[in-house]
Amino acid sequence: MAERTALESLIEMGFPRGRAEKALALTGNQGIEAAMDWLMEHEDEPEVEEPPASPRGHPFGHEPPPHGGGSPEGPGAARVEEKPPLSEEEKREQTKRMLELVAQKQKERGEREQREAVERERQRRRQGQELSAARQRLQEDEMRRAAEERRREKAEETAARQRVREKIERDKVERAKKFGGTGSQITSLAPEPGPVPSSPSQEPPTKREYDQCRIQVRLPDGTSLTQTFKAREQLAAVRLYVELHRGEELGGGQDPVQLLSGFPRRAFSEADMERPLQELGLVPSAVLIVAKKCAS
């Protein structure tokens, strides 16, 4: 039979019997080429041991003969002629054609997979380019926002400077009105560079007022203490700070100390301890020397 021949050809080509029977059954026994196409398309599927049941109840699509060995022939029935078996030469020729068909199918499949791989690579590159373009647009937007922020800050700074200049001009005008002159006259009264004042109305520079005093205290062992005090604090605060932080070099911190000024040389008395540092001339900075106070 033709189906038997196709099955044997597929088995001779190296296909398992179960897969060959399944391919023939699922392709409706349309021939070995259709079965080969199915086997090539489903070669990755797990193998099966038994072929699926034929929809007509026979593995090869023919009805079994009736019970009793009766002939299927009857009134109007066509006689089924069996094909003679293939010779060895025909089998080899058919096997050769099948092998060529397998090679062609494999080649077509390889070309198809190569085209799909090329298409996937093209899509990957296109997506990469789109991602790179999106990232570049994002960076450009950030740079644009940063430039706009800098321009805005610069404009605000310029406006603030303009407001300051306008306020200075208004102050000049108000002073001119208050002192009975014009702004240009007040400007002309400004001091000119030189060792001697050019106008009797020019006042000497005022002395700067300091509200803090930096005191460095040298201890008898050669070390020093540095601390910042308020300009209106009393000298007793400096002595108390020295007594708390001088360590053990002066008898364990129990003996009183006496403070001396370096230059000009001066020993501060108990009355000086009640005076502010500003009045004693120790502002803005001074160096004091610690001496052990002799007990009376």
Side-chain angles (χ1 to χ4, degrees), residues 175-243:
R175 287 197 301 271
K177 292 179 179 179
K178 183 176 181 180
F179 295 103
T182 62
S184 59
Q185 292 176 348
I186 292 179
T187 305
S188 63
L189 297 178
E192 297 179 358
V196 181
S198 60
S199 174
S201 63
Q202 183 181 9
E203 297 180 358
T206 58
K207 186 177 180 181
R208 181 178 177 182
E209 295 290 338
Y210 296 92
D211 57 351
Q212 290 186 347
C213 175
R214 182 178 178 86
I215 301 296
Q216 181 182 8
V217 181
R218 295 179 181 176
L219 302 177
D221 63 349
T223 60
S224 62
L225 299 173
T226 303
Q227 182 64 21
T228 302
F229 300 89
K230 297 292 184 182
R232 297 186 178 278
E233 283 191 78
Q234 297 178 352
L235 184 60
V238 180
R239 183 174 66 179
L240 178 61
Y241 175 80
V242 173
E243 292 175 351

Side-chain angles (χ1 to χ4, degrees), residues 133-190:
R135 187 181 296 111
Q136 184 176 0
R137 288 194 299 270
L138 181 60
Q139 292 178 354
E140 292 176 355
D141 293 341
E142 292 179 355
M143 294 175 61
R144 189 182 304 108
R145 287 194 295 270
E148 292 176 356
E149 182 68 17
R150 287 194 297 270
R151 286 195 296 269
R152 185 182 61 80
E153 293 176 354
K154 186 175 181 180
E156 292 178 355
E157 183 180 356
T158 303
R161 290 180 180 177
Q162 181 64 25
R163 288 194 296 269
V164 171
R165 286 194 294 267
E166 292 176 355
K167 187 176 183 304
I168 293 174
E169 293 297 330
R170 288 195 301 269
D171 292 342
K172 288 181 180 180
V173 173
E174 291 177 359
R175 287 197 301 271
K177 292 179 179 179
K178 183 176 181 180
F179 295 103
T182 62
S184 59
Q185 292 176 348
I186 292 179
T187 305
S188 63
L189 297 178

Side-chain angles (χ1 to χ4, degrees), residues 4-207:
R4 293 289 185 179
T5 303
L7 177 61
E8 293 174 357
S9 299
L10 292 174
I11 293 174
E12 290 178 1
M13 292 170 62
F15 293 103
R17 173 178 291 273
R19 294 188 64 83
E21 292 178 352
K22 183 177 180 180
L24 289 171
L26 293 179
T27 56
N29 299 306
Q30 296 179 2
I32 193 170
E33 293 188 4
M36 286 290 299
D37 291 338
W38 187 93
L39 288 171
M40 294 300 298
E41 293 176 359
H42 301 81
E43 64 178 353
D44 296 331
E45 293 184 0
E47 296 185 1
V48 294
E49 297 297 334
E50 297 181 358
S54 175
R56 293 186 291 177
H58 190 270
F60 305 105
H62 292 277
E63 295 290 341
H67 295 286
S71 175
E73 296 182 1
R79 182 179 179 83
V80 179
E81 295 182 0
E82 295 184 0
K83 294 182 179 181
L86 299 177
S87 63
E88 293 297 328
E89 183 66 24
E90 291 175 343
K91 288 182 180 180
R92 285 195 296 271
E93 185 66 24
Q94 188 176 18
T95 302
K96 180 180 179 182
R97 289 198 304 270
M98 293 303 102
L99 292 176
E100 292 176 354
L101 180 60
V102 169
Q104 181 181 358
K105 295 295 182 182
Q106 290 178 346
K107 181 179 179 182
E108 293 176 355
R109 181 178 180 180
E111 292 176 352
R112 183 175 63 254
E113 291 179 352
Q114 184 177 4
R115 288 194 300 270
E116 293 175 354
V118 171
E119 181 63 24
R120 287 194 299 270
E121 178 66 17
R122 186 182 296 110
Q123 293 180 359
R124 186 189 66 81
R125 292 184 179 181
R126 182 169 60 253
Q127 292 175 356
Q129 293 175 357
E130 293 176 355
L131 180 60
S132 177
R135 187 181 296 111
Q136 184 176 0
R137 288 194 299 270
L138 181 60
Q139 292 178 354
E140 292 176 355
D141 293 341
E142 292 179 355
M143 294 175 61
R144 189 182 304 108
R145 287 194 295 270
E148 292 176 356
E149 182 68 17
R150 287 194 297 270
R151 286 195 296 269
R152 185 182 61 80
E153 293 176 354
K154 186 175 181 180
E156 292 178 355
E157 183 180 356
T158 303
R161 290 180 180 177
Q162 181 64 25
R163 288 194 296 269
V164 171
R165 286 194 294 267
E166 292 176 355
K167 187 176 183 304
I168 293 174
E169 293 297 330
R170 288 195 301 269
D171 292 342
K172 288 181 180 180
V173 173
E174 291 177 359
R175 287 197 301 271
K177 292 179 179 179
K178 183 176 181 180
F179 295 103
T182 62
S184 59
Q185 292 176 348
I186 292 179
T187 305
S188 63
L189 297 178
E192 297 179 358
V196 181
S198 60
S199 174
S201 63
Q202 183 181 9
E203 297 180 358
T206 58
K207 186 177 180 181

